[in-house]
Amino acid sequence: MKNDSEMVTFNIYAKVRTNVNTKDLFYDIKVHDNKGSAILNLRGQSLKSDGMIGIHKTKAIPRGAANKFLKEVMLYKKVGGSLIPVLKNSHIIPFHLTEFESEKINPKLLEATIDYFESKGKMDKEKVSQVQITRKRYRYIQVREDFKMKTGVSSSFQAVENVGIRGGFHIIGNIEITNNKLLVFAQGHSNAGHPLAGDGKLEFLVNATVYINKKRLHSQQLEWNPHGYWKSSDSIYTIIGEAIFDLPEPQRGQETLLKLEAMYQVVRDAGSGSFVSNKITKTLSFHTELK
């Protein structure tokens, strides 16, 4: 089993399909988290003759943090000594960062290619028109967003044997949408347990449900290590888990909602608890745009 705290580097690459001379094409590539901190940031790189981008090695990060990073490529054409962007928006490499641990190229990771084609037709005796061939296709607006959920400050829920959480509990996390994949990651936190209760075990349960145009599409429990251990003197965040959803091909005017629902239970050695009915919920929405 791979260790999430192990520091690892990743080998990033992609493929461009084009009818343009690759000597005229260049690219920027950046791998960064939702706060803009980059572990790879290269500009003005020459595209290889076979259309390959990379392989480029990132800085080392803990393997468990890989889900927070986004991989973006912008493509340029050299015209009259200047680099002109040929993509309306950066291309998002959709595969999870951990897929790029190996130094060998995985053909599966080249399936999400970057397409740039030109059609040529004379406008006059000297000028040639350059048109990027596109279709009216939509995509999910790229999202990299942190979220917070919390109960009331005065809350003190009881789960078993008078073991409660002073001040309620808090959930923090982030969502990331790249192409047609939605990633949800969350951590839970509480103040110390009841001072007379001694040590115990705090368990969070977070369900994520995706709705497309008000119709339920997927529902999944965030899973990692479901048991977050706490002591009466502790006040730390514990990982709840992550969930990854495959979203359908986006359509015009599509409304997509993500509903998060969180509960907790406290368990002591002397008995077992059950998830309390007190819940906190949060709904996040995102939309589509023309590519």
Side-chain angles (χ1 to χ4, degrees), residues 23 69 82 91 96 124 128 181 191 237 284 290:
K23 292 182 180 180
F69 284 81
S82 299
H91 174 82
H96 198 285
D124 55 34
V128 175
K181 286 192 177 292
N191 296 320
Y237 280 99
L284 303 125
L290 192 64

Side-chain angles (χ1 to χ4, degrees), residues 166-180:
R166 286 205 309 263
F169 65 105
H170 310 264
I171 305 291
I172 62 170
N174 56 71
I175 62 172
E176 176 181 329
I177 300 172
T178 57
N179 288 346
N180 294 0

Side-chain angles (χ1 to χ4, degrees), residues 121-132:
K122 287 188 176 181
M123 297 178 64
D124 55 34
K125 293 181 180 179
E126 297 180 355
K127 295 182 180 179
V128 175
S129 64
Q130 298 178 352
V131 180
Q132 183 178 357

Side-chain angles (χ1 to χ4, degrees), residues 15-22 25 47-51 75 114-118:
K15 179 81 170 180
V16 176
R17 294 190 306 181
T18 183
N19 62 352
V20 175
N21 191 333
T22 54
L25 297 180
L47 190 69
K48 294 182 180 179
S49 59
D50 59 358
L75 190 65
I114 303 169
D115 288 346
Y116 175 65
F117 294 94
E118 292 182 357

Side-chain angles (χ1 to χ4, degrees), residues 166-217:
R166 286 205 309 263
F169 65 105
H170 310 264
I171 305 291
I172 62 170
N174 56 71
I175 62 172
E176 176 181 329
I177 300 172
T178 57
N179 288 346
N180 294 0
K181 286 192 177 292
L182 166 64
L183 176 82
V184 186
F185 175 79
Q187 299 178 83
H189 169 270
S190 76
N191 296 320
H194 193 286
L196 301 178
D199 298 339
K201 182 170 66 177
L202 176 64
E203 297 180 352
F204 285 100
L205 171 65
V206 176
N207 285 315
T209 306
V210 177
Y211 297 86
I212 302 289
N213 292 338
K214 299 182 179 180
K215 293 183 179 180
R216 183 175 175 273
L217 181 69

Side-chain angles (χ1 to χ4, degrees), residues 143-157:
V143 174
R144 299 178 298 278
E145 180 178 328
D146 295 333
F147 64 82
K148 295 181 180 180
M149 305 164 65
K150 65 180 181 179
T151 59
V153 176
S154 62
S155 300
S156 182
F157 303 134

